[in-house]
């Protein structure tokens, strides 16, 4: 896999993002068909039941004989709602396939690769940063298939000194309008949005994707985690989860939910962390100081520095006046 190949693979990752709101429970996938350095066609997967990225690129290219196909995820090998992409690539006469990451779902899991190679197609796998980026891009799909539960992102807004509310409990709004707009986009992409009962009682959050462009075609499932029965089911417009967090997450997966955006509060988040159920922390750090007040996690403490959950990957970027930290606590 050459640097030129890697550049084409990165383009497939960009294309894949076009399906971010709609592809679940399927993965987001992009595909590029290239011949003699010229891009013949680009494709991506938009929604379940719709064309796969490879099929779209092959349709748009018309003639793809002798081309190289770049794909973010291993081409599928099974008949689902659409025929296998590995077969379609072979039938189209594609000479070489360069893949960013393998598909860990039981129906594929290396079989797409085998099928291509058996048909005499040259197949190459990316490694290093491109592969890591491709895997991270489908963290939801991977977690869903490998761990049998949705991928969990805990999002919070904190002050410079790490407080998520004032000592009196006021938290709206610590982060900027720009950060809150980004959270609305995340909601538009999430299968479910969840809060603990404390936040539900105190803030009565709507948890809907409102401030997004284009407008959301569907809203995430709204879930409140409430073992103690503080929330009246009749007044909560969504799902009241009264059981163990791990079992409730598995139940969401059984309904096809591949991602959950947890929006606090700190007590609920600590419960999830202690149970090993947080995959990603997305923290908006706002440039103000609150002094006393709850932290990002409350009611739980690391036994020692050596035992402290640590990020396996960390990214930071400015969002308006805030800094967004995205920490992957687990990657599968
Ligand atoms: N800055 C921010 O980003 C942000 C975001 C959200 C909220 N907030 C602020 O945070 C405050 C509310 O936070 P909070 O800590 O009081 O409440 P919380 O974390 O929203 O809810 C805590 C409750 O969740 C329930 N729960 C259900 N499953 C749990 C589990 N597996 N582990 C732990 N708890 C579980 C527990 O009640 P049961 O034991 O009865 O189940 C617990 O008392 C408010 O002031 C709010 O404004 C800030």
């Amino acid at each position: 896999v050459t640097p030129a190949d890697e550049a084409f693979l990165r383009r497939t990752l960009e294309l894949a993002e076009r399906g971010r709101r709609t592809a679940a429970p399927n993965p987001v996938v992009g595909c590029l068909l290239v011949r003699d350095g010229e891009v013949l066609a680009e494709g991506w997967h938009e929604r379940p039941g719709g064309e796969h990225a490879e099929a779209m690129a092959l349709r748009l290219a018309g003639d793809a004989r002798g081309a190289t196909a770049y794909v973010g995820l291993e081409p599928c090998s099974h008949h689902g709602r659409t025929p296998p992409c590995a077969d379609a690539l072979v039938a189209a006469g594609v000479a070489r396939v360069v893949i960013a990451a393998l598909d860990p779902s039981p129906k594929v899991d290396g079989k797409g690769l085998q099928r291509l190679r058996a048909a005499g197609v040259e197949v190459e796998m990316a490694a290093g940063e491109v592969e890591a980026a491709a895997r991270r891009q489908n963290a939801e799909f991977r977690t869903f298939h490998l761990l049998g539960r949705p991928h969990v992102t805990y999002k919070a807004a904190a002050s410079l000194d790490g407080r998520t509310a004032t000592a009196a409990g006021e938290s709206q709004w610590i982060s900027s309008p720009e950060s809150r707009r980004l959270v609305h986009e995340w909601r538009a992409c999430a299968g479910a949005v969840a809060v603990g009962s404390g936040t539900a009682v105190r803030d009565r959050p709507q948890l809907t994707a409102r401030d997004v462009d284009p407008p959301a075609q569907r809203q995430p499932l709204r879930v409140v985690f409430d073992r103690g029965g503080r929330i009246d089911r009749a007044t909560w417009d969504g799902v009241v989860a009264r059981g163990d967090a791990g079992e409730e997450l598995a139940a969401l997966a059984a309904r096809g939910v591949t991602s959950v955006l947890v929006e606090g509060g700190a007590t609920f988040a600590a419960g999830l962390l202690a149970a090993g159920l947080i995959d990603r922390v997305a923290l908006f750090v706002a440039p103000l100081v609150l002094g006393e007040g709850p932290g990002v996690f409350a009611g739980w403490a690391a036994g020692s520095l050596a035992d402290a959950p640590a990020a396996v990957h960390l990214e930071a970027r400015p969002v308006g006046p805030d800094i967004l930290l995205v920490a992957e606590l687990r990657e599968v």
Side-chain angles (χ1 to χ4, degrees):
V1 175
T2 66
D5 288 332
E6 289 195 352
F8 286 130
L9 284 177
R10 288 200 182 276
R11 175 66 188 151
T12 71
L13 304 192
E14 282 175 18
L15 290 168
E17 288 303 318
R18 297 184 184 182
R20 177 60 66 193
R21 281 198 199 172
T22 45
N26 286 355
V28 293
V29 189
C31 175
L32 223 59
L33 288 167
V34 178
R35 190 165 48 210
D36 301 328
E38 183 205 341
V39 177
L40 303 177
E42 298 183 329
W44 64 91
H45 181 49
E46 185 115 357
R47 59 185 72 249
E51 253 179 344
H52 285 193
E54 300 90 323
M56 179 175 173
L58 288 171
R59 175 174 58 79
L60 293 177
D63 176 5
R65 277 172 296 175
T68 296
Y70 294 89
V71 261
L73 186 76
E74 176 184 3
C76 68
S77 51
H78 60 289
H79 284 272
R81 276 170 285 195
T82 60
C85 289
D87 294 1
L89 291 165
V90 171
V94 165
R96 180 171 175 252
V97 178
V98 186
I99 300 168
L102 287 174
D103 179 343
S105 65
K107 282 184 190 154
V108 185
D109 197 21
K111 292 193 270 293
L113 209 75
Q114 287 165 14
R115 217 159 161 131
L116 290 167
R117 285 195 171 134
V121 177
E122 189 188 334
V123 182
E124 256 136 356
M125 292 295 310
E129 283 190 21
V130 178
E131 188 205 357
R135 290 164 72 115
R136 194 167 301 124
Q137 175 174 60
N138 274 312
E140 297 81 1
F141 176 75
R142 299 179 64 83
T143 302
F144 181 76
H145 282 290
L146 293 171
L147 301 182
R149 63 161 174 82
H151 181 269
V152 176
T153 295
Y154 169 39
K155 158 257 145 186
S159 60
L160 273 183
D161 50 339
R163 306 303 185 187
T164 54
T166 64
E170 189 190 356
S171 70
Q172 291 171 324
W173 302 103
I174 291 174
S175 60
S176 64
E178 291 91 334
S179 294
R180 281 163 14 228
R181 201 169 303 132
L182 183 56
V183 170
H184 279 245
E185 182 55 40
W186 291 351
R187 287 178 185 167
C189 300
V193 177
V195 289
S197 56
T199 297
V201 168
R202 185 177 168 103
D203 298 344
R204 285 272 148 199
Q206 294 185 56
L207 304 177
T208 51
R210 300 179 297 277
D211 189 10
V212 291
D213 181 27
Q217 298 297 311
R218 51 160 278 283
Q219 292 292 335
L221 213 56
R222 300 166 77 251
V223 186
V224 58
F225 281 76
D226 173 37
R227 294 169 304 194
R230 293 166 73 192
I231 306 295
D232 179 357
R233 286 184 197 271
T235 62
W236 180 262
D237 176 19
V239 178
V240 181
R242 295 245 161 96
D244 165 80
E247 287 171 14
E248 295 287 1
L249 287 172
L252 287 173
R255 296 175 63 169
V257 172
T258 59
S259 61
V260 177
L261 181 65
V262 171
E263 301 211 25
T267 308
F268 173 48
L272 291 178
L273 184 75
L277 293 171
I278 295 186
D279 301 299
R280 177 182 293 158
V281 178
L283 184 67
F284 293 95
V285 180
L288 76 174
V289 176
L290 292 177
E292 293 300 319
V296 176
F297 294 97
W300 172 90
S304 68
L305 280 177
D307 291 340
V312 291
H313 182 82
L314 181 68
E315 286 182 18
R317 67 181 164 101
V319 180
D322 305 327
I323 299 289
L324 170 61
L325 295 172
V326 180
E328 312 292 340
L329 296 188
R330 177 186 300 103
E331 291 191 319
V332 295

